């Protein structure tokens, strides 16, 4: 008989190193289930029917299942971390409307050579700690604002980033993503933003040697084990470390009870995983996240109009753990679908936002995932307050939320207006 989930959860906490995998069956021996798995039914077939059993048994089992078969187990929190340096703090940012600062975080036990740079903007006009978004960016913190003091990433950056030369960021990139992050809008609406660059932890290349992953290998280990983290799990770990920073070092300025996580596309997949594994995240906005995040895994494997597991694992072999491609030809064998990742977040707020020209991310399938997560939310008395996908530009702002606008795969000012409206509605009230 397999060990109880409680024991597994405790073991995971105790072992806390890579290469550990729960006592789950091999992918090949899992049964086919073409229908969406019932979120209340445990892997051994027993059904949970109370909130207490959901919280104590099924939720931790799902957290382990997603890590085991799809994303890989997140690295543990290092025994120690520190703000190694506050690079600068500018209280005159935006003509004195906000304070912009950047902190360099260091991690020990294991000792990481990587540093995480956290850019923090907070409105100066505030009557108490403010709600805050945590976001992961594609191009480096310096891309968010044309400010001379912001650190420029030392390592690899995407070729598509403004100012990128030979895969490295340059001065020319400053402020090139200002219209993606819209700091002025966030500040005007009374929110803060803490942002970090994914590549500080693991550059988005099919190679882990430049990321933090090897620092967590067991003695003698030279390559990832089948359920060691892919890039998305590693980046989700980054969200958690920024939340540590906010909760443990910034609680006078930001409100630890009002932390929202946001990310676009591959960063949105990361956002949902980060929220599913960290209760401190009160609200999640996986924006246009699609396959491997908010869209169903169970789509016909030969579909060309939406992304499939086979396609994502082929083009981006490093995003997920090595167990995940075992489901390329048989997504029906997965013991979960993405509605279960949402369900783990219950009763916290989750908004799926989309665009009509981004069919690749399967906006209709995403709505089905919310519908299928709804029964779990209903146990907590909240959920998805619609049975049909809302029309264009109509924000469904229930605890499970949905939004779709015309236009392309991007994150823009209109999207931020919606994110802020949704956060106003769904974050807990200030104390
Ligand atoms: C590709 C990929 C998507 C991903 C997107 C992005 O299109 O297929 O899964 O979401 O890149 O991150 O922009």
């Amino acid at each position: 008989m397999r060990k109880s989930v409680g024991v597994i959860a405790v073991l995971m906490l105790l072992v806390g190193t890579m290469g550990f995998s729960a006592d789950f069956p091999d992918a090949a021996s899992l049964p086919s289930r073409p229908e969406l798995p019932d979120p209340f039914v445990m892997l051994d077939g027993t059904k949970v029917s109370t909130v207490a059993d959901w919280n104590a048994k099924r939720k931790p089992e799902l957290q382990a299942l997603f890590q085991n078969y799809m994303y890989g187990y997140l690295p543990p929190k290092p025994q120690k971390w520190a703000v190694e340096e506050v690079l600068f703090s500018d209280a005159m940012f935006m003509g004195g409307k906000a304070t912009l600062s950047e902190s360099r975080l260091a991690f020990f036990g294991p000792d990481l050579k990587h540093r995480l740079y956290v850019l923090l903007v907070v409105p100066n006009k505030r009557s108490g700690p403010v709600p805050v978004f945590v976001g992961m960016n594609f191009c480096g913190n310096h891309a968010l604002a044309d400010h001379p003091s912001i650190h420029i990433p030392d390592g690899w950056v995407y070729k598509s980033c403004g100012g990128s030369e030979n895969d490295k960021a340059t001065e020319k990139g400053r402020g090139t993503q200002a219209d993606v992050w819209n700091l002025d809008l966030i500040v005007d609406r009374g929110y803060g933003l803490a942002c970090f660059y994914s590549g500080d932890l693991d550059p988005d290349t099919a190679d882990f040697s430049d990321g933090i992953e090897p620092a967590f290998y067991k003695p003698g280990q030279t390559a990832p084990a089948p359920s060691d983290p892919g890039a998305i799990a590693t980046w989700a770990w980054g969200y958690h470390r920024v939340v540590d920073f906010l909760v443990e070092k910034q609680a006078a300025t930001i409100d630890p009870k009002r932390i929202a996580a946001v990310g676009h596309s591959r960063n949105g997949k990361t956002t949902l995983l980060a929220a599913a594994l960290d209760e401190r995240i009160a609200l999640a906005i996986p924006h246009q996240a699609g396959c491997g995040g908010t869209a169903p895994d169970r789509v016909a494997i030969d579909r060309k109009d939406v992304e499939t597991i086979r396609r994502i694992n082929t083009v981006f072999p490093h995003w997920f753990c090595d167990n995940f491609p075992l489901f390329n030809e048989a997504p029906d064998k997965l013991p979960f679908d993405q509605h279960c990742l949402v369900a783990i977040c219950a009763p916290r707020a989750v908004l799926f936002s989309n665009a009509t020209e981004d069919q690749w991310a399967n906006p209709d399938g995403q709505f089905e995932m919310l519908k299928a997560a709804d029964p779990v939310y209903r146990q907590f008395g909240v959920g998805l307050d619609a049975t049909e996908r809302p029309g264009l530009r109509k924000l469904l702002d229930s605890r499970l939320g949905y939004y779709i606008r015309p236009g392309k795969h991007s994150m823009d000012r209109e999207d931020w207006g919606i994110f802020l409206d949704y956060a106003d509605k769904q974050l807990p009230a200030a104390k």
Side-chain angles (χ1 to χ4, degrees):
M1 239 177 78
R2 40 182 297 269
K3 292 176 198 123
S4 83
V5 171
V7 173
I8 290 171
V10 171
L11 273 177
M12 281 166 56
L13 284 174
L14 290 178
V15 176
T17 50
M18 300 258 196
F20 175 77
S21 90
D23 190 10
F24 290 131
D26 289 347
S29 56
L30 290 165
S32 161
R33 39 177 129 198
E35 74 297 347
L36 287 180
D38 180 340
F40 292 111
V41 176
M42 305 276 302
L43 193 63
D44 68 3
T46 55
K47 186 156 179 147
V48 301
S49 52
T50 63
V51 165
D53 278 353
W54 171 266
N55 284 331
K57 296 183 183 159
R58 181 57 172 157
K59 186 162 90 173
E61 181 179 74
L62 280 171
Q63 288 173 324
L65 286 169
F66 273 105
Q67 292 181 87
N68 192 74
Y69 292 115
M70 186 168 181
Y71 298 102
Y73 288 89
L74 266 63
K77 179 177 176 177
Q79 287 147 24
K80 248 182 66 192
W81 71 275
V83 177
E84 198 173 49
E85 189 186 347
V86 178
L87 275 64
F88 72 94
S89 179
D90 178 359
M92 289 310 291
F93 186 54
M94 287 180 194
K97 272 193 186 174
T99 299
L100 183 73
S101 63
E102 193 172 31
S103 299
R104 187 171 68 235
L105 312 191
F107 305 94
F108 311 96
D111 297 359
L112 301 188
K113 62 178 187 329
H114 295 72
R115 296 292 182 261
L116 187 59
Y117 291 82
V118 185
L119 189 73
L120 180 65
V121 58
V122 279
N124 287 337
K125 205 172 99 195
R126 51 178 198 269
S127 50
V130 293
V132 65
F133 284 91
V134 178
M136 182 168 81
N137 64 65
F138 277 97
C139 293
N141 292 341
H142 70 301
L144 270 68
D146 186 6
H147 189 291
S149 306
I150 304 176
H151 173 76
I152 293 181
D154 311 301
W156 177 96
V157 294
Y158 296 91
K159 286 192 195 320
S160 55
C161 289
S164 167
E165 284 170 15
N166 304 319
D167 298 338
K168 292 275 188 282
T170 66
E171 289 287 336
K172 290 182 208 148
R174 292 195 185 281
T176 47
Q177 295 226 307
D179 58 350
V180 172
W181 289 94
N182 298 285
L183 298 184
D184 59 322
L185 192 60
I186 296 174
V187 164
D188 281 346
R189 297 277 298 257
Y191 284 73
L193 173 75
C195 210
F196 70 103
Y197 169 51
S198 55
D200 280 354
L201 299 173
D202 186 9
D204 192 1
T205 57
D207 166 14
F208 292 125
S209 65
D210 51 2
I212 64 167
E213 292 86 349
F216 294 91
Y217 284 169
K218 288 173 169 170
Q221 190 181 350
T222 53
S227 60
D228 276 354
I232 289 175
T234 297
W235 297 333
W237 180 95
Y239 274 83
H240 296 174
R241 303 293 72 82
V242 176
V243 173
D244 294 343
F245 168 71
L246 293 172
V247 170
E248 296 174 32
K249 307 281 183 197
Q250 297 290 330
T253 320
I254 67 89
D255 183 351
K257 297 271 176 256
R258 291 185 290 157
I259 296 178
V262 63
H264 178 219
S265 211
R266 65 200 69 182
N267 300 356
K269 306 179 208 293
T270 308
T271 302
L272 185 59
L273 178 65
L277 299 178
D278 192 336
E279 308 268 328
R280 298 172 301 175
I281 296 172
L283 181 152
I285 305 180
H287 176 61
Q288 301 174 348
C291 181
T294 51
D297 302 312
R298 281 168 178 71
V299 296
I301 56 173
D302 50 0
R303 269 183 83 167
K304 298 276 181 279
D305 57 328
V306 299
E307 191 169 23
T308 60
I309 291 178
R310 179 170 60 190
R311 156 84 200 212
I312 206 168
N313 281 323
T314 308
V315 181
F316 305 101
H318 56 292
W319 283 0
F320 302 91
C321 75
D322 286 350
N323 277 335
F324 195 42
L326 303 175
F327 298 90
N328 280 356
E329 310 305 321
D332 51 296
K333 287 199 164 203
L334 279 167
F336 48 71
D337 211 303
Q338 298 308 110
H339 64 305
C340 295
L341 193 61
V342 180
I344 294 170
C345 301
R348 293 173 287 138
V350 178
L351 171 67
F352 283 9
S353 51
N354 280 289
T356 50
E357 287 171 48
D358 188 17
Q359 291 301 318
W360 188 237
N362 197 354
D364 288 325
Q366 290 189 36
F367 191 71
E368 296 308 312
M369 293 296 93
L370 293 177
K371 273 167 60 177
D374 182 62
V376 175
Y377 272 72
R378 288 295 156 201
Q379 295 288 312
F380 296 86
V382 289
L384 182 74
D385 293 349
T387 49
E388 302 283 318
R389 201 188 90 173
L392 285 188
R393 293 206 163 103
K394 295 258 182 304
L395 171 63
L396 173 64
D397 65 3
S398 49
R399 193 61 65 83
L400 286 175
Y402 189 92
Y403 181 74
I404 185 159
R405 60 157 167 81
K408 292 200 191 328
H409 186 70
S410 62
M411 186 161 87
D412 63 19
R413 199 168 178 85
E414 175 181 345
D415 295 321
W416 270 101
I418 296 297
F419 301 167
L420 289 156
D421 289 349
Y422 185 71
D424 282 352
K425 172 83 192 284
Q426 288 294 346
L427 280 178
K431 282 252 171 64

